[in-house]
Amino acid sequence: MIVQMTVILKLEMLQDSLILEKSQNWSSQKMDHILICCVCLGDNSEDADEIIQCDNCGITVHEGCYGVDGESDSIMSSASENSTEPWFCDACKCGVSPSCELCPNQDGIFKETDAGRWVHIVCALYVPGVAFGDIDKLRPVTLTEMNYSKYGAKECSFCEDPRFARTGVCISCDAGMCRAYFHVTCAQKEGLLSEAAAEEDIADPFFAYCKQHADRLDRKWKRKNYLALQSYCKMSLQEREKQLSPEAQARINARLQQYRAKAELARSTRPQAWVPREKLPRPLTSSASAIRKLMRKAELMGISTDIFPVDNSDTSSSVDGRRKHKQPALTADFVNYYFERNMRMIQIQENMAEQKNIKDKLENEQEKLHVEYNKLCESLEELQNLNGKLRSEGQGIWALLGRITGQKLNVPAILRAPKERKPSKKEGGTQKTSALPTVLYSCGICKKNHDQHLLLLCDTCKLHYHLGCLDPPLTRMPRKTKNSYWQCSECDQAGSSDMEAEMAMETLPDGTKRSRRQIKEPVKFVPQDVPPEPKKIPIRNTRTRGRKRSFVPEEEKHEERVPRERRQRQSVLQKKPKAEDLRTECSTCKGTGDNENLVRYPS
């Protein structure tokens, strides 16, 4: 099967070479009479739809196939070349050698898109989803309505270079259930494109069939016309340059320069086309121009591209021959971020330029103000010197008048030396503060006035005392509340009686009398037949937290306790001597004590 296919391909290539040689000979003989449209490959030239030729690149096309309007566009008739205005295609008017976005082939006639790209007019007509802004003029071409997932989704079956097989957009055979895919220009080379008749009212009159489903005779004459067109376009420019006079050639070049200047002005003033950002990402390998640039770069760097094999592993991955679309490397979020970043960078640069202009303007104004300020300072200094001289002369004259009159005259204010002006607080000077008189209190014990913050006021004698001079010394200030006050030890001892306490209460600082509860001593009890208390020896170097020192008697004897009688309450003023205290034992800590620190609870 493979051998048979190779034989068929060789026969077709041989047949194409023979047709090409015949077409070259035929075109060289009848070049002046037969022109072929590079869109429909037809050779019918009528008055209503004439075949015109570009005076720069030599491409030929029907007026209706290219959307040429005779009233607005200058056309060149094939009958008389020098008698009419020259005509140029859009690519020659813009002065570019474009590359198609929908196919890898570079021959043919192009139309510009609204985004500044270029596509073949035949590709724009046959690829689904491509629209035109003006249907009559077939411009501008809009690619935004087409699904961008079609880029590189299918592989062309006619491309000779496998690196370009998945570039652009491939169309499918219009025959039912056919799975053949190819580029539009590749199908045009093979004569597989067809168009419905003008009488038929069809929404999409453009069809494409594979070799198996295309009409053989129709394919044969289209193939022959295509080869003749290629040879005619290459040879016609050389022949026409020889036939044209220098005046005609100069007229064509001048007109071409006018068109290019007009196109450049229109390109600079053209508003930016709206492009949906969610459709922009596409594989880099789907762009034929990008692949050509990479190949050129590899060639300049001396890198051979033959060592990089083409990835065809997933061409036969599925059973039905369909290839799943690969997600592009650049996501829509990244593209949105990239565009927004570019816009923000442009805005920041514009803002920086504006701020720089403002800064330069302010610096110039500041420099001018500095110059004026220096001039004013110099004039002020001159005036001050002149004023000093006049004041000294006036003082001398005033003194002379005083000596003449024999009296001491008061110098007027105008002749007095001006006081030195001190800068205010706003100007950076220090504001003079009035010194407040301070009252220093002396301590009632050490008679010194240092450490005023450690002085404590007695509410009774109205004297101040240092915290460290008190006996015992205090570590912090005592807290005074509304119903309490502080008095020193001397005032506390002097006010032990009720009368003195009442007098002290009457002499409070605020003059108010406050009731104070007198703290009474615990009621002592005196049992009968109390033996004399033995002598007690204090234990030194022993302290108990929260208790007084405990005493141990000289002779510790375990005596039986005498039953106690009922307490007899006495007045506070009557005090019993310490010899009558009875030594008892605490029922909680088992320690000894006396009536001063022990309280008896009734059982």
Side-chain angles (χ1 to χ4, degrees), residues 39 166 181 326 352 356 405 440 500 571 581 589:
V39 177
R166 287 192 177 273
Y181 295 94
K326 289 185 178 180
M352 287 180 61
K356 186 178 180 181
T405 56
L440 299 179
E500 292 176 350
S571 62
D581 292 345
C589 63

Short mmCIF file of all heavy atoms in Angstrom, two decimals, residues 39 166 181 326 352 356 405 440 500 571 581 589:
data_model
loop_
_atom_site.label_atom_id
_atom_site.label_comp_id
_atom_site.label_asym_id
_atom_site.label_seq_id
_atom_site.Cartn_x
_atom_site.Cartn_y
_atom_site.Cartn_z
N VAL A 39 -7.39 34.70 -6.78
CA VAL A 39 -8.36 34.30 -5.76
C VAL A 39 -9.21 33.14 -6.26
O VAL A 39 -9.26 32.07 -5.65
CB VAL A 39 -9.24 35.48 -5.35
CG1 VAL A 39 -10.30 35.05 -4.32
CG2 VAL A 39 -8.39 36.61 -4.75
N ARG A 166 1.02 22.41 11.30
CA ARG A 166 0.05 22.79 12.34
C ARG A 166 0.01 24.29 12.58
O ARG A 166 -0.44 24.73 13.63
CB ARG A 166 0.37 22.06 13.64
CG ARG A 166 0.01 20.58 13.59
CD ARG A 166 0.06 19.96 14.97
NE ARG A 166 -0.34 18.58 14.93
CZ ARG A 166 -1.59 18.14 15.02
NH1 ARG A 166 -2.57 19.01 15.13
NH2 ARG A 166 -1.87 16.86 14.97
N TYR A 181 -8.08 17.40 6.39
CA TYR A 181 -7.91 18.79 6.79
C TYR A 181 -6.73 19.37 6.01
O TYR A 181 -5.73 18.69 5.76
CB TYR A 181 -7.65 18.90 8.29
CG TYR A 181 -8.82 18.45 9.15
CD1 TYR A 181 -8.90 17.14 9.62
CD2 TYR A 181 -9.85 19.33 9.47
CE1 TYR A 181 -9.97 16.72 10.39
CE2 TYR A 181 -10.92 18.92 10.23
CZ TYR A 181 -10.98 17.61 10.69
OH TYR A 181 -12.04 17.20 11.45
N LYS A 326 -4.54 21.08 22.20
CA LYS A 326 -3.66 21.32 23.33
C LYS A 326 -3.92 22.72 23.89
O LYS A 326 -4.09 23.67 23.14
CB LYS A 326 -2.19 21.21 22.89
CG LYS A 326 -1.75 19.80 22.57
CD LYS A 326 -0.27 19.79 22.26
CE LYS A 326 0.21 18.38 21.99
NZ LYS A 326 1.67 18.35 21.69
N MET A 352 5.28 60.06 35.43
CA MET A 352 6.64 60.46 35.78
C MET A 352 7.12 61.62 34.92
O MET A 352 7.77 62.56 35.41
CB MET A 352 7.58 59.26 35.64
CG MET A 352 7.44 58.20 36.71
SD MET A 352 8.57 56.84 36.47
CE MET A 352 10.14 57.66 36.57
N LYS A 356 8.06 65.21 36.34
CA LYS A 356 9.38 65.75 36.07
C LYS A 356 9.28 67.18 35.50
O LYS A 356 10.07 68.06 35.87
CB LYS A 356 10.12 64.85 35.08
CG LYS A 356 11.55 65.24 34.83
CD LYS A 356 12.25 64.28 33.89
CE LYS A 356 13.69 64.71 33.65
NZ LYS A 356 14.38 63.79 32.71
N THR A 405 22.64 123.82 75.13
CA THR A 405 21.62 124.22 76.09
C THR A 405 22.07 124.01 77.52
O THR A 405 21.47 124.56 78.45
CB THR A 405 20.33 123.45 75.84
OG1 THR A 405 20.62 122.03 75.90
CG2 THR A 405 19.75 123.77 74.47
N LEU A 440 9.61 75.19 98.91
CA LEU A 440 10.35 74.03 99.38
C LEU A 440 9.98 73.78 100.84
O LEU A 440 10.06 74.69 101.70
CB LEU A 440 11.86 74.27 99.26
CG LEU A 440 12.39 74.50 97.85
CD1 LEU A 440 13.87 74.76 97.87
CD2 LEU A 440 12.06 73.33 96.95
N GLU A 500 -8.47 64.24 123.34
CA GLU A 500 -7.49 64.67 122.35
C GLU A 500 -7.87 64.21 120.96
O GLU A 500 -7.65 64.90 119.97
CB GLU A 500 -6.10 64.13 122.72
CG GLU A 500 -5.55 64.75 123.99
CD GLU A 500 -4.22 64.13 124.38
OE1 GLU A 500 -3.87 63.09 123.76
OE2 GLU A 500 -3.55 64.65 125.25
N SER A 571 -13.20 48.54 131.85
CA SER A 571 -13.14 49.70 130.96
C SER A 571 -11.78 49.77 130.28
O SER A 571 -10.82 49.12 130.70
CB SER A 571 -13.40 50.99 131.75
OG SER A 571 -12.37 51.15 132.71
N ASP A 581 -0.85 38.52 133.85
CA ASP A 581 -1.21 37.76 132.65
C ASP A 581 -0.96 36.29 132.86
O ASP A 581 0.03 35.88 133.48
CB ASP A 581 -0.41 38.25 131.45
CG ASP A 581 -0.83 39.66 131.06
OD1 ASP A 581 -1.88 40.10 131.54
OD2 ASP A 581 -0.06 40.30 130.29
N CYS A 589 -1.81 26.59 116.72
CA CYS A 589 -0.39 26.38 116.42
C CYS A 589 0.37 25.77 117.58
O CYS A 589 1.59 25.55 117.46
CB CYS A 589 0.25 27.71 116.02
SG CYS A 589 0.22 28.94 117.34
#
